[in-house]
Amino acid sequence: MNLSIRGQQIEVTDALKEYVDKKLSKLEKYFDEPLTSDGNVTLSVNVNRGFHTVEVTIPMKGLVLRAEDESTDMYASIDAVVEKLERQIRKHKTKINRKFRQEDNLKTFFVENVPASPSPVTDEELDSEYDDLEVVRTKKFFLKPMDVEEAILQMNMVGHNFFVFSNIENNEVSVVYKRNDGKYGLIEQE
């Protein structure tokens, strides 16, 4: 896996790069073939709050692994992100195995028997987590064409942390959301 490691308000030292590479290479054990995707790692420091944030995004065929963690220690944040990514992989593997349990000839890109990690999660725990993935409410609404600023105002007015709208600039469905740092993000279709 090719990693693009960048820093925001922090210099990414060789020691940090090596630590990130070493920790994220642990994910390779979950896959039959070496990962060829390009992963993005962002290390940042919020000077005002004293927090170190690590964000990792690994796009794959049919799956995007993404995790973020924030703590007072950069190395602890890296460890926590790797644990979150491992958990996502195990959950996804369980989901695939549950879905295709009857098909013996299906080959997934996950390794069947992975060595136990320090905090193993049982299949029963993963199954119970997927039992909680039930849709309990469905909403339908008209997507009013608006610009991004109006969508942010609407989101703040209804008190939500995201807002779905029809972007007047490109006639596509977009989502604005409030980030942890208090700023706003925009999600658009490719």
Side-chain angles (χ1 to χ4, degrees):
M1 170 175 39
N2 302 321
L3 292 176
S4 169
I5 304 170
R6 66 184 187 94
Q8 292 179 337
Q9 299 177 343
I10 185 174
E11 179 185 340
V12 181
T13 63
D14 289 339
L16 270 175
K17 283 182 185 178
E18 287 176 23
Y19 194 77
V20 168
D21 281 335
K22 177 184 169 191
K23 289 296 185 173
L24 288 176
S25 68
K26 289 174 55 177
L27 301 178
E28 300 277 345
K29 69 183 178 188
Y30 290 98
F31 301 95
D32 284 333
E33 299 172 4
L35 294 175
T36 57
S37 57
D38 296 332
N40 295 310
V41 180
T42 303
L43 309 174
S44 60
V45 175
N46 185 329
V47 181
N48 298 333
R49 293 177 45 211
F51 282 113
H52 299 258
T53 305
V54 177
E55 297 176 42
V56 177
T57 305
I58 304 171
M60 300 168 57
K61 183 180 177 184
L63 174 68
V64 175
L65 297 173
R66 186 184 184 293
E68 179 177 339
D69 192 75
E70 182 177 73
S71 73
T72 56
D73 178 50
M74 184 63 75
Y75 290 95
S77 293
I78 294 168
D79 292 340
V81 161
V82 171
E83 287 176 17
K84 288 179 181 181
L85 290 170
E86 285 183 310
R87 188 169 176 86
Q88 283 180 25
I89 292 169
R90 288 192 303 265
K91 285 171 80 171
H92 190 72
K93 178 182 171 187
T94 300
K95 178 180 164 187
I96 287 175
N97 288 342
R98 175 190 265 185
K99 186 174 182 182
F100 298 108
R101 196 170 283 159
Q102 303 302 325
E103 296 181 29
D104 294 333
N105 61 354
L106 179 71
K107 180 175 179 357
T108 65
F109 54 92
F110 291 113
V111 172
E112 286 304 314
N113 296 317
V114 177
S117 62
S119 58
V121 178
T122 64
D123 287 341
E124 291 80 23
E125 289 173 324
L126 288 174
D127 284 345
S128 69
E129 285 184 31
Y130 276 103
D131 290 340
D132 294 340
L133 297 179
E134 177 185 357
V135 175
V136 295
R137 184 174 180 192
T138 301
K139 284 186 174 183
K140 292 184 180 183
F141 56 94
F142 174 73
L143 292 179
K144 177 185 170 197
M146 61 181 74
D147 62 13
V148 175
E149 284 111 20
E150 184 179 352
I152 292 172
L153 291 173
Q154 292 287 330
M155 175 183 67
N156 289 334
M157 195 167 65
V158 295
H160 291 172
N161 55 2
F162 72 93
F163 189 79
V164 181
F165 68 103
S166 175
N167 195 330
I168 202 163
E169 295 173 9
N170 56 17
N171 294 324
E172 298 284 340
V173 175
S174 299
V175 178
V176 290
Y177 62 96
K178 191 161 193 163
R179 296 169 37 98
N180 290 339
D181 61 7
K183 297 179 181 174
Y184 298 99
L186 176 66
I187 300 173
E188 295 181 315
Q189 299 181 62
E190 277 193 310

